[in-house]
Amino acid sequence: MADCPGIAHLAEMADGGLARVRTPGGRLSADQARAVADAAETLGSGVIDLTNRANLQIRGLPLDAGPRLGERLAAAGLYVGGEADRRRNVLLDPLAGLDPTEIVDLRPLAAAVADALGSADVAADLSPKFSVALDGGGRAGLAATASDLTLLVLRGAEGRVALALALAGRPLGVATGQETAVAAILAVAHAAAALGPDTRARDLAPHVVAADLVASGLAAPGADVVWPSEVRPIFGALPGSRSGSRAAVVVPVAVGRLDVGQLRWLAARADEDGEGALVLAPWSAVVLPGVAPARAADLLRRSEAAGFPPVAVVERLTVVACAGAPSCVRAREPAKAAGLALLARAAASGAAPLARVHLSACGKGCAGPADADLLLLGASDAPGWTLHGDAAPRRPGPVLGRLPNADADAILGWLQRRG
């Protein structure tokens, strides 16, 4: 399997080649979304995944489809070619510029960082998994997302704005300014790249990185910062950031799985009801900015008819799932399909439990490291699922029970009995 896929650099999966379309900052135009849907339909299996880093993955591609896919997506402005393609790993709060509680809109910084990481001489030696997260201080708490380097906006006692830095989740105790942020990020990237293409931020010494940034004038010692402890997903209609401004609608995507029809539906809604753009959220959702407030509720109702889960369900029941069988060579159980069925059954029942459920077809935990109220864990060498409470795939703990298959009614019943 390829170490980290891109557009031309495909990963070999059980269901064919996998391409990852990076959208720095998570934003793409309606036309770009249609270009991804068209490519998935004509070159791949028509299955698209929305990842927990707000990228899109096209599944079921022929292993030699990279050049053709690159040509198609380059024409849409989604492929930059070369080593740069897999280095533009920039995660931005999807509500940037839309959330009235944020301190600074970091969309311009996200674009500048993506360009810098892709064009710098560091690109060829930097791990394609090296990631940057940018949090403008909004209510979603994006800075809680695991990243190599995280920048969180804070406002000082005198009203001055700075960006606190954390390395692999460890606060550095220093902050940079908006005018030096790109250079500070590149300095950390250079430090990682200098140690080899497999180096991640966790391999760097935080005190050395902090001291180097201060010595170079790219950061200064900062005040104590309260970092978000978890990401707070937001769904539904979000009022405009100013009085009388248009709203944003956050459409949930069940377990991050899209088909080409759904992606085209979102593109059409962006054109007809919004401002012609979509923003991908790392909590399995798509933001449609620029929607007239009077149309938001109707758009959400129509999203359910298009196969998206009701907001009322996903606000109570969080379901995450890895690709599972038949997509992954490690998997015997269809985790993604089971997650879709679980959300559909919860919606049909009208009584979704308040819980977080994680379906992981093996112990690797590709869908994320966070604990879940209920973990269903599969194995590569045996059929069925084991049940674990308050657990994660790499920390499963005691087995509470077993299921021969991930029956939605059985899972919902277990959650209700557990309370």
Side-chain angles (χ1 to χ4, degrees), residues 69-385:
L69 181 63
E71 183 178 352
R72 278 173 171 262
L73 296 186
L78 287 170
Y79 178 54
V80 296
E83 297 293 343
D85 174 51
R86 296 191 297 151
R87 270 69 182 183
R88 300 180 305 148
N89 298 308
V90 181
L91 180 63
L92 174 68
D93 185 340
L95 301 178
L98 304 169
D99 182 356
T101 70
E102 75 177 353
I103 299 172
V104 176
D105 176 2
L106 294 183
R107 287 178 294 180
L109 178 60
V113 171
D115 288 344
L117 287 174
S119 60
D121 56 4
V122 70
D125 297 319
L126 186 65
S127 167
K129 295 184 177 182
F130 189 92
S131 60
V132 177
L134 303 175
D135 187 335
R139 60 177 174 147
L142 189 88
T145 304
S147 298
D148 287 273
L149 186 61
T150 304
L151 281 73
L152 171 66
V153 171
L154 58 99
R155 192 184 299 278
E158 300 178 359
R160 297 183 63 184
V161 170
L163 294 93
L165 291 100
L167 189 74
R170 296 167 291 183
L172 292 178
V174 301
T176 189
Q178 294 183 73
E179 68 284 355
T180 54
V182 173
I185 291 168
L186 285 179
V188 177
H190 274 284
L195 297 178
D198 294 326
T199 303
R200 303 290 301 279
R202 61 177 176 265
D203 302 315
L204 303 177
H207 67 284
V208 173
V209 172
D212 287 347
L213 290 172
V214 172
S216 62
L218 296 176
D224 291 338
V225 179
V226 178
W227 289 80
S229 59
E230 62 180 357
V231 176
R232 296 176 291 276
I234 296 167
F235 302 102
L238 184 72
S241 58
R242 301 178 306 280
S243 177
S245 63
R246 287 182 167 250
V249 173
V250 187
V251 179
V253 177
V255 294
R257 175 55 56 87
L258 290 160
D259 60 38
V260 294
Q262 288 176 316
L263 187 54
R264 286 173 178 147
W265 185 90
L266 289 166
R269 299 288 71 73
D271 274 340
E272 296 171 19
D273 297 313
E275 59 185 38
L278 302 79
V279 186
L280 309 176
W283 53 80
S284 293
V286 175
V287 183
L288 298 175
V291 177
R295 296 183 62 86
D298 179 63
L299 192 155
L300 286 168
R301 282 192 295 270
R302 286 184 289 157
S303 74
E304 295 179 33
F308 296 96
V311 168
V313 170
V314 297
E315 285 183 332
R316 291 185 58 82
L317 179 60
T318 299
V319 181
V320 297
C322 66
S327 299
C328 177
V329 294
R330 294 173 179 263
R332 293 176 65 109
E333 299 296 334
K336 192 75 77 173
L340 289 167
L342 177 59
L343 280 171
R345 186 70 187 95
S349 72
L354 184 61
R356 178 180 175 87
V357 177
H358 187 158
L359 295 107
S360 184
C362 76
K364 188 177 179 183
C366 293
D371 284 354
D373 299 298
L374 175 61
L375 167 68
L376 283 86
L377 185 60
S380 300
D381 57 355
W385 303 86

